[in-house]
């Protein structure tokens, strides 16, 4: 369970990072009077305001703030689905919703992400996130989705570290158990 919490925190920190984005589009570049550069700048401005508030200690992270942040990220992907940054911003939204315990919304976005962007560079992380979310957080638990995403992860990543592969294979062998049952039997 501690690994899941650490994984969630790591995903959230990844989502909050404001590394320079590649602003490139295969489409026309503008939609609804907004170009991709200004859409990305809107997200960055919001991230900067969150960081400033946090540095002064006045930010109380809430689900409402998370939803606003995630929706800004989704706006980039929805307005510019053919841009190089669309998948990255969908991924950010999925991570933000998960970190705010809005798991149903998170998995819907992640499901869409892997369908729309099969070559996304962080696909393995998204698949692992989906399997874990359906295993632990989405209620009712959907063991068929847990199995589906873990199997995809194994199939698509033949060079995965042996220890990680073994953990996933062990989980698949006992997929009928809830995560809590699985953990308690392992101890």
């Amino acid at each position: 369970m501690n690994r899941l919490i650490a994984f969630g925190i790591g995903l959230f920190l990844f989502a909050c990072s404001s590394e320079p984005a590649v602003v490139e589009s295969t489409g026309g570049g503008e939609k609804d009077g907004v170009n991709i550069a200004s859409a990305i700048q809107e997200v960055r401005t919001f991230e900067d305001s969150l960081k400033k508030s946090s540095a002064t200690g006045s930010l109380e992270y809430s689900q409402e703030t998370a939803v606003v942040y995630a929706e800004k990220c989704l706006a980039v992907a929805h307005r510019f689905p053919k841009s190089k940054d669309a998948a990255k911003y969908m991924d950010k939204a999925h991570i933000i919703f998960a970190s705010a315990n809005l798991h149903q919304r998170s998995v819907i976005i992640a499901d869409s992400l892997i369908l729309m962007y099969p070559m996304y560079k962080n696909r393995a992380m998204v698949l692992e996130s989906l399997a874990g979310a359906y295993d632990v957080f989405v209620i009712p638990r959907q063991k068929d989705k847990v199995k589906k995403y873990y199997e995809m992860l194994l199939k698509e990543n033949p060079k995965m570290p042996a220890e990680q592969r073994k953990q996933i294979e062990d989980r698949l062998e006992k997929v009928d158990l809830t995560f809590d049952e699985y953990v308690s039997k392992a101890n």
Side-chain angles (χ1 to χ4, degrees), residues 8-187:
I9 291 169
L11 286 175
F12 179 72
L13 292 174
F14 171 76
C16 291
S17 71
S18 60
E19 65 185 45
V22 176
V23 181
E24 187 176 300
S25 174
T26 58
E30 288 210 19
K31 192 168 189 176
D32 301 327
V34 178
N35 66 32
I36 190 165
S38 63
I40 290 172
Q41 186 56 47
E42 187 176 327
V43 173
R44 287 185 179 158
T45 300
F46 189 77
E47 289 171 343
D48 289 345
S49 72
L50 287 177
K51 288 176 185 174
K52 268 187 199 169
S53 296
S54 182
T56 63
S58 63
L59 175 68
E60 290 185 27
Y61 195 79
S62 67
Q63 277 192 345
E64 184 178 278
T65 302
V67 169
V68 171
Y69 181 19
E71 291 296 336
K72 287 181 181 299
C73 293
L74 284 175
V76 173
H78 290 156
R79 288 181 190 160
F80 307 100
K82 294 181 180 180
S83 76
K84 286 182 93 173
D85 291 310
K88 171 184 161 186
Y89 281 91
M90 278 185 85
D91 193 9
K92 272 190 171 196
H94 134 257
I95 293 166
I96 294 163
F97 280 124
S99 71
N101 293 320
L102 298 168
H103 299 288
Q104 192 63 47
R105 187 88 192 268
S106 175
V107 296
I108 289 169
I109 293 165
D111 280 329
S112 297
L113 172 62
I114 64 165
L115 289 173
M116 293 171 63
Y117 303 99
M119 302 307 291
Y120 178 51
K121 69 178 182 174
N122 292 328
R123 180 178 172 88
M125 192 177 350
V126 175
L127 289 171
E128 189 169 9
S129 173
L130 275 165
Y134 280 118
D135 198 12
V136 179
F137 300 113
V138 174
I139 299 173
R141 179 176 175 262
Q142 297 181 30
K143 76 175 182 180
D144 58 322
K145 296 263 188 171
V146 174
K147 186 176 178 180
K148 172 185 172 180
Y149 292 120
Y150 275 142
E151 287 175 348
M152 286 174 69
L153 182 63
L154 291 173
K155 182 180 178 185
E156 293 178 16
N157 298 282
K159 295 181 180 180
M160 172 188 295
E163 183 179 330
Q164 182 182 9
R165 178 171 293 280
K166 174 136 178 47
Q167 287 176 346
I168 293 169
E169 288 169 345
D170 288 348
R171 182 65 187 117
L172 283 170
E173 285 177 16
K174 297 173 182 79
V175 75
D176 289 332
L177 299 175
T178 67
F179 184 77
D180 289 339
E181 292 168 340
Y182 173 72
V183 170
S184 70
K185 288 197 184 250
N187 292 328

